[in-house]
Amino acid sequence: MIEFHRVTKYFTQVNTPIKDLSFSIKQGEFVYLVGPSGAGKTSLFKLITREWTATSGTIRVGNYRLERMRTDQLYLLRRKIGMINQSDLFLPNRTIYENLAYCLDVLEISRNEQEYLITEALEDVGMENYQKYYPHEISVGQSKKIAIARALITKPPIIIADEPTANLDTKSAVEMMRLFFRINQRKTTVIVSMHDSTMVNTVRNRVIELKNGQIVRDAKEGGYSEFDDPKDVYVW
């Protein structure tokens, strides 16, 4: 479960990206986070992962109260969250396999277990044949799949994706979202921020809409906006 109660993040009087935000997301939900650029979507993700600390209010992720966690405890939280950022950053001089192994080295996971986890994660996203490739040798869509594999590798109960279909063509975007829907079917919580109205309207799930750091709409099986064009859907 993820729960925000009256959460505000304040930098200056003119820079308050999150304002008095309250909502909860149950384990296993699929949630679209929508809103214009600057609405607070990425800021919300930074609060969930404790990259930022809230100025006021309380945030709970599972059994953790984030405002009470010490810096040396944050690895416990981040093992529970698989994060896919807007930019897929990889070590350029290491293969795909070595990039994923690097993440597991940090967690002090044995080499034998690493091989199993990496192979399983890459198979999950259909990239098992690309282990020996370098990041510059794969496409943008393939890079995004590797980023998803990296997020999945420790089997976290929560997956967060920040604009995962940006810069992808329609075919790649649909393929990407099918991956997220399949991941969600395993009872993994999936939160995806999106500007792709057609995708949101095609597969209806809960929609939380942000504007100026506040929730303006929280709709079960909602569309991208309150006034949707019924033709704004993909034909799969």
Side-chain angles (χ1 to χ4, degrees):
M1 171 194 287
I2 298 170
E3 187 175 64
F4 276 49
H5 179 68
R6 307 205 64 179
V7 173
T8 293
K9 178 60 181 176
Y10 176 88
F11 290 113
T12 67
Q13 230 173 3
V14 294
N15 188 1
T16 307
I18 296 293
K19 304 170 187 174
D20 199 30
L21 213 60
S22 295
F23 66 91
S24 64
I25 296 173
K26 295 178 182 177
Q27 184 60 39
E29 275 198 85
F30 190 109
V31 179
Y32 294 113
L33 194 62
V34 305
S37 296
K41 301 185 295 296
T42 300
S43 299
L44 187 150
F45 287 159
K46 288 183 176 182
L47 289 167
I48 292 175
T49 58
R50 246 299 290 274
E51 185 177 340
W52 287 356
T53 306
T55 305
S56 62
T58 60
I59 302 173
R60 185 185 296 276
V61 177
N63 295 324
Y64 299 118
R65 282 279 295 273
L66 302 200
E67 67 275 10
R68 296 178 179 175
M69 294 190 79
R70 303 189 310 269
T71 302
D72 63 352
Q73 296 175 318
L74 291 181
Y75 75 95
L76 296 169
L77 169 71
R78 290 170 184 165
R79 283 184 180 179
K80 291 186 174 293
I81 302 171
M83 183 74 203
I84 298 121
N85 294 299
Q86 291 184 30
S87 299
D88 306 320
L89 299 178
F90 299 105
L91 300 169
N93 298 321
R94 298 194 185 191
T95 64
I96 298 306
Y97 184 96
E98 290 167 341
N99 267 274
L100 297 184
Y102 179 79
C103 301
L104 298 175
D105 284 338
V106 174
L107 300 176
E108 299 182 351
I109 291 173
S110 70
R111 292 291 177 182
N112 285 341
E113 191 175 357
Q114 283 188 22
E115 184 174 355
Y116 168 76
L117 291 173
I118 291 169
T119 300
E120 185 179 44
L122 289 174
E123 286 177 349
D124 237 359
V125 299
M127 294 292 289
E128 63 272 21
N129 295 326
Y130 290 81
Q131 296 186 26
K132 295 181 180 179
Y133 282 63
Y134 287 86
H136 68 273
E137 296 178 320
I138 60 178
S139 70
V140 174
Q142 290 169 333
S143 290
K144 189 61 70 177
K145 287 183 180 180
I146 297 298
I148 295 172
R150 181 171 58 187
L152 289 173
I153 203 162
T154 57
K155 298 179 172 48
I158 300 167
I159 292 288
I160 293 173
D162 197 357
E163 301 288 352
T165 60
N167 305 317
L168 296 181
D169 58 54
T170 299
K171 181 181 177 181
S172 297
V174 168
E175 192 176 351
M176 197 65 48
M177 291 308 297
R178 280 177 169 158
L179 276 175
F180 287 118
F181 299 140
R182 195 172 75 232
I183 291 164
N184 177 244
Q185 287 174 354
R186 305 172 191 165
K187 306 302 180 184
T188 301
T189 301
V190 178
I191 310 170
V192 182
S193 70
M194 297 212 77
H195 278 120
D196 187 340
S197 62
T198 309
M199 185 62 70
V200 178
N201 293 337
T202 301
V203 182
R204 298 282 177 137
N205 281 294
R206 181 181 175 186
V207 172
I208 295 177
E209 182 177 356
L210 293 178
K211 186 176 181 180
N212 297 324
Q214 296 178 301
I215 292 177
V216 295
R217 183 169 58 104
D218 187 344
K220 183 179 180 181
E221 297 184 359
Y224 188 80
S225 69
E226 288 185 273
F227 308 102
D228 292 318
D229 181 347
K231 295 179 182 177
D232 186 19
V233 295
Y234 289 121
V235 179
W236 288 10

